[in-house]
Amino acid sequence: MTTYDIERYLNVRSAYGGSFAPGGERLSFLMDTTGTSQVWTLTAPQAWPEQRTFYDERVTFASWSPDRPELIFGMDEGGNERTQLYRLETETGAIVNLTATPDAKHRWGGWSHDGDRFAFASNRRDESVFDVYVQNRDEAGADAEPQRVLEGDGWLSLSGWSPDDSQLLVSQAYSNFDQDLSVLDVATGEREHLTPHEGDVRYQSASWAPDGEGIYLVTDHGDADTLYLAYLDVESGDLETVDDGGKWNIDGIALDDETGRFVYSRNVEGYTELTVGEFDADDPTEFETFPEPELPGGVSGGVSFDPDAERFALSTTGDTVNTNVFVVDVETGEAKRWTDAPTAGIPRTLLCRRLLIPLSCGCRIKEDKDTASAVSDTY
């Protein structure tokens, strides 16, 4: 059998971070073909992609506007994590620096539903804490005057706008095992604490329900042994279990806040198990499920719905596929691989069945008779 040295495997590339353009006819993603992750787009499964950014520095994420042919992406310098936000106009290729505060970190908080504003958290006032800002899309660079809507008192991040764009969902992290959620009124700056608790409790992967009256999240509230999926009523503060996950952690949920369609994942013995469904409009804890996606196995993540929530994109790594973006039909589970990240000339059948697997692969493989022991890695 042909063997390859480690340098060859280190040149296996990854494509991930898929995001649909308005209309759903184009997909952006990140790919490290050039050695650093850059923004690429394509219009059909495994079509020839178009590179959109050309930097020596890595791009960390990209998110399409809801209604314009433009996206916002993040990029730091030299891995210093001081991410700046940039707007790429895809029709002209023009790129502008929206934040232009290189000494500060910026955490993406999402587009408003009309695409006129975006939110972010930043430590530009005080490097030890994060404040929340809202900025108009057409403001850029040193002349931009983002509105500071909350002066923070710790490490804050954002989980998106409410369906009517009047509120932002704010997460405050004290540690990896202890977080709090609150709702911020954008107009008044008033902040309502949703998760009072004692001790360490995780409140993670929070998403607004379609009616804006509740939040879906994963938590171990109540001294649960594993993370479970729950619904939190914003007005009453009541927390109801949606899926207890059994003996496995539920890692997170992606939710379309217009249709109530969702994807949540469980980590089952190191492999990703996906549940795809749609919440009941009358009972937020009830839902119907659709067929499990037909993916090549392994580890999946980074779900992003198209504008109609009829499809979703996610990155997947399997036994015979390096990290690539697949698009899944919600109702049928049919999956198509859209990206074709290079494998450095190594046949896909050999990617994950040898002891020397590529570090960019990101998959977990079970013990194979051709290897002396099981090999596992995560991305």
Side-chain angles (χ1 to χ4, degrees):
M1 178 181 291
T2 304
T3 59
Y4 304 92
D5 59 34
I6 187 64
E7 293 300 323
R8 188 76 164 268
Y9 279 106
L10 291 175
N11 279 289
V12 174
R13 300 308 186 189
S14 301
Y16 58 97
S19 177
F20 283 100
E25 298 175 353
R26 185 162 37 180
L27 182 78
S28 70
F29 60 96
L30 304 182
M31 185 163 64
D32 57 354
T33 298
T34 61
T36 59
S37 296
Q38 300 297 307
V39 180
W40 299 68
T41 61
L42 77 174
T43 57
Q46 298 185 55
W48 190 264
E50 182 176 358
Q51 187 173 351
R52 296 292 188 156
T53 60
F54 301 85
Y55 297 101
D56 293 331
E57 306 293 348
R58 61 170 185 159
V59 174
T60 55
F61 77 90
S63 176
W64 282 96
S65 162
D67 64 351
R68 294 180 178 91
E70 62 187 24
L71 53 79
I72 288 178
F73 67 90
M75 183 172 63
D76 62 9
E77 183 176 346
N80 65 4
E81 299 184 356
R82 299 181 186 276
T83 298
Q84 305 299 303
L85 305 180
Y86 300 80
R87 188 180 71 243
L88 165 64
E89 299 175 3
T90 58
E91 300 301 314
T92 65
I95 295 175
V96 295
N97 188 333
L98 296 171
T99 49
T101 311
D103 292 334
K105 299 179 180 180
H106 298 82
R107 295 175 173 174
W108 175 239
W111 291 94
S112 61
H113 290 77
D114 58 13
D116 291 340
R117 298 174 294 169
F118 61 92
F120 61 89
S122 177
N123 64 345
R124 54 173 63 184
R125 177 181 60 88
D126 181 337
E127 67 176 11
S128 64
V129 299
F130 281 78
D131 302 325
V132 176
Y133 295 83
V134 171
Q135 183 169 323
N136 294 329
R137 60 160 292 279
D138 55 358
E139 294 184 342
D143 296 329
E145 297 182 356
Q147 178 187 5
R148 189 169 68 209
V149 292
L150 175 65
E151 188 171 297
D153 55 0
W155 287 72
L156 305 183
S157 58
L158 298 173
S159 296
W161 298 74
S162 62
D164 65 359
D165 287 337
S166 67
Q167 299 173 304
L168 286 165
L169 187 56
V170 181
S171 174
Q172 181 161 357
Y174 310 109
S175 72
N176 290 337
F177 299 96
D178 190 19
Q179 300 92 35
D180 260 323
L181 293 175
S182 57
V183 169
L184 173 67
D185 187 296
V186 174
T188 67
E190 294 183 4
R191 181 182 178 188
E192 180 183 358
H193 186 199
L194 299 179
T195 54
H197 65 275
E198 296 181 358
D200 290 349
V201 181
R202 289 177 284 182
Y203 295 99
Q204 301 174 351
S205 188
S207 297
W208 287 95
D211 60 9
E213 296 180 359
I215 293 164
Y216 292 96
L217 52 87
V218 296
T219 182
D220 57 2
H221 173 81
D223 296 323
D225 293 330
T226 57
L227 291 168
Y228 60 93
L229 180 63
Y231 173 81
L232 175 65
D233 186 283
V234 171
E235 183 175 353
S236 68
D238 292 340
L239 189 71
E240 297 181 77
T241 299
V242 177
D243 186 342
D244 63 15
K247 63 179 181 178
W248 307 105
N249 279 324
I250 293 182
D251 294 321
I253 182 171
L255 174 68
D256 179 71
D257 66 10
E258 293 186 5
T259 64
R261 290 187 165 183
F262 64 83
V263 180
Y264 67 81
S265 62
R266 291 196 309 158
N267 183 341
V268 180
E269 294 185 341
Y271 294 84
T272 303
E273 180 180 281
L274 298 176
T275 298
V276 182
E278 183 174 334
F279 286 114
D280 190 310
D282 297 320
D283 186 341
T285 63
E286 295 294 325
F287 56 88
E288 65 172 315
T289 58
F290 299 113
E292 187 176 348
E294 301 171 356
L295 295 166
V299 175
S300 300
V303 172
S304 176
F305 284 96
D306 74 3
D308 297 323
E310 295 178 350
R311 302 172 297 166
F312 61 89
L314 80 169
S315 57
T316 293
T317 299
D319 285 353
T320 59
V321 59
N322 51 323
T323 304
N324 271 282
V325 176
F326 286 69
V327 173
V328 179
D329 183 282
V330 169
E331 295 187 0
T332 67
E334 179 185 4
K336 295 181 179 179
R337 181 162 61 88
W338 271 56
T339 62
D340 195 16
T343 64
I346 302 172
R348 296 188 187 279
T349 55
L350 299 181
L351 282 179
C352 299
R353 296 197 178 277
R354 307 300 299 163
L355 189 58
L356 294 177
I357 62 173
L359 299 183
S360 62
C361 173
C363 60
R364 302 169 185 258
I365 63 173
K366 296 179 180 178
E367 187 167 350
D368 188 275
K369 65 181 181 181
D370 294 328
T371 60
S373 62
V375 182
S376 66
D377 194 68
T378 59
Y379 67 87

